[in-house]
Every structure is written in structure tokens, then in C-alpha cells.
Amino acid sequence: MIRLSGVSRTFTTKSGTVEALRDITLQVGDGEFVAVLGRSGCGKSTMLRIIAGLLPATGGAVTIGEEAVRRPRRDVAMMFQRPALLPWSTVLDNVLLPVKIFGRRVAEHRPRAFELLELTGLSGFERRMPHELSGGMQQRVALCRSLITDPKVMLMDEPFSALDALTREELAGELQKLHMDNHATTVFVTHSIDEAVLLADRVVVLSPRPGRIREILEIKIPRPRTLGRTTHLEEVARCSADLHELLMS
């Protein structure tokens, strides 16, 4: 579904050039959930923006399906660290925003919007305004907005990083359920080892800048997963320890 072939990116600044990514080659299969993990400044977000068509690569190529990525696509949704909701619009209108932007019939997507709000625990909040919601609830709205058009590809740039630990774990659990339901091909950038183990089929570990693929760890733990006490607790701990060692070494 997604293929990166020798992707590199260099930025030119007043003080010189900065090499953010070097020779990233990666294939993400149809319906696969891949987490990208690494230290701050290693190029994770840059890589995601290149896949989204928001930023050109200075070397290499990206394809989705058989089509080269040169600009944003309607079948690719992007979710950022901040929810970026329209403050003058209700929860329901914020969720339906992509439908309106793409010129589709709002009435046809309204039932799906209500379904997503119920799945994310926001049933009954449809008429609320963003300022009436907690940070976690606002990010749930952003998640619903990303899914409203049933995108083939979901790109997520540390969407839960600004939230407290318990809310992050709760939202990660909801995202896991949604992915099991819709099977969108997902690339999820995170600093959190726990999120990576909980959500991903594979975890791509990037080296410090310039970001290069240091290791790809396959997570073979059956879904649904939890960080609590289960029969797979030992396997969860082993995967977390392996990722910790890769990041610290």
C-alpha cells in the first residue's frame, strides 16, 4: 500500500543545511499498522509529512498503491498532535468538516458521524462546542473527523502526546478497536514505547538525526492488547524492553 524508496530530506536554513532523513526504504502493507519510534529530532514527523504529500522529498520516492505521492490525497487522512477544531462549530460539524470540504453529501455521512462519536464515547456531545470539552474529548473529535470519510490510509503524528497518561492509554485502546474494525493502513508516529507495543503490527525505530531505519521490530501479540495483566504480559514486557534498549543504545 505505502512504499518509501530511498527517501531523504534536507532542509536549508540561514546557518546551513540540516539532513533530517537519509535513505528511508520501507513498505507498509494493506491494512497494516506501523508505528514509527525515535528520539526527538530524528525526522519522524518529516517522514509522515512526506508520505502525506505535504512536504517533498529531496531524494527517493513515495508511492501509495501504484501512484506516486506529489500532493495531499483525499483517501489519506492526517491527524496531528493538536486537535485543531473549529472553535465556532459544534462537535458534529467538526466531525463532518472533511465531508463538506470534499463536496460530498453531508446527510449521507451523518449516520457514520453519530456512529463514530458513539464508538469514541462522545454520544450526547454532538451539539457541544470545542471549548466545552476536555483535551482528551477534543482529540476524540479529531479522531472521528479523520475517520469520517473512511480513508484508505491514516497518518497520525503523536496524536495523544499532549494528554495525560491515563487518557493516552484510553484513547490508544479506542484507536486499537477502531483499527480492528476498519483496517485502514496506518502509520503512527510516537515517542511512547507503550503506545507502539499496544497498537502496532511492526515498530520502525529511527536513529538520531539524520533519521535512518535502525531496526524494525515485529509485534506478534494477539489483539485486542492491553498493558494490564493478561496472559500476554510477559510478551508485552519483552517487546517494551527490546524497544527501550534500541532507543537507549
Side-chain angles (χ1 to χ4, degrees):
M1 170 59 80
I2 303 172
R3 185 189 299 272
L4 288 80
S5 303
V7 169
S8 300
R9 174 68 199 193
T10 300
F11 293 94
T12 301
T13 67
K14 291 181 180 179
S15 56
T17 58
V18 176
E19 189 180 12
L21 293 171
R22 181 186 296 173
D23 195 27
I24 301 291
T25 296
L26 175 69
Q27 186 167 339
V28 181
D30 190 17
E32 188 177 17
F33 195 119
V34 169
V36 181
L37 192 64
R39 292 177 176 270
S40 296
C42 72
K44 302 185 300 296
S45 295
T46 298
M47 174 178 159
L48 207 66
R49 281 162 171 75
I50 291 172
I51 297 172
L54 297 173
L55 188 68
T58 49
V62 179
T63 58
I64 296 179
E66 299 300 322
E67 186 178 341
V69 174
R70 295 188 176 91
R71 61 185 66 86
R73 296 166 45 128
R74 291 190 175 189
D75 58 354
V76 176
M78 182 115 181
M79 188 173 174
F80 298 95
Q81 295 179 29
R82 303 289 179 179
L85 304 180
L86 298 180
W88 56 84
S89 296
T90 65
V91 164
L92 182 60
D93 285 340
N94 269 288
V95 173
L96 289 167
L97 181 61
V99 176
K100 298 173 184 177
I101 290 173
F102 295 154
R104 300 177 183 176
R105 293 178 60 85
V106 171
E108 293 178 0
H109 288 80
R110 197 178 296 272
R112 177 59 173 161
F114 280 99
E115 180 187 354
L116 288 168
L117 289 168
E118 183 175 359
L119 286 170
T120 54
L122 289 172
S123 183
F125 289 86
E126 295 86 359
R127 299 300 173 189
R128 297 289 183 91
M129 305 301 286
H131 73 269
E132 299 178 280
L133 307 179
S134 68
M137 294 171 77
Q138 290 184 26
Q139 202 64 328
R140 284 183 171 91
V141 177
L143 178 58
C144 293
R145 182 180 60 192
S146 298
L147 292 166
I148 188 64
T149 56
D150 293 318
K152 292 180 181 178
V153 174
M154 282 282 291
L155 304 176
M156 311 184 78
D157 190 3
E158 300 188 66
F160 310 142
S161 63
L163 306 175
D164 64 85
L166 288 176
T167 303
R168 286 181 70 160
E169 186 174 338
E170 186 179 47
L171 277 177
E174 289 178 6
L175 176 59
Q176 178 183 199
K177 292 174 186 176
L178 288 166
H179 178 71
M180 290 172 68
D181 179 56
N182 65 16
H183 303 290
T185 304
T186 304
V187 181
F188 183 94
V189 165
T190 182
H191 279 104
S192 169
I193 291 173
D194 285 346
E195 283 180 357
V197 173
L198 185 65
L199 294 168
D201 296 304
R202 291 185 296 154
V203 181
V204 177
V205 180
L206 294 186
S207 68
R209 193 171 63 207
R212 292 161 290 182
I213 294 179
R214 181 170 185 178
E215 191 84 31
I216 299 178
L217 182 67
E218 190 172 357
I219 309 293
K220 297 181 179 180
I221 304 167
R223 290 188 172 94
R225 300 171 187 166
T226 176
L227 299 175
R229 293 184 181 278
T230 68
T231 54
H232 304 291
L233 180 60
E234 185 176 335
E235 197 169 354
V236 169
R238 179 185 58 76
C239 290
S240 297
D242 287 346
L243 289 171
H244 185 270
E245 287 182 4
L246 283 168
L247 289 171
M248 295 299 291
S249 61

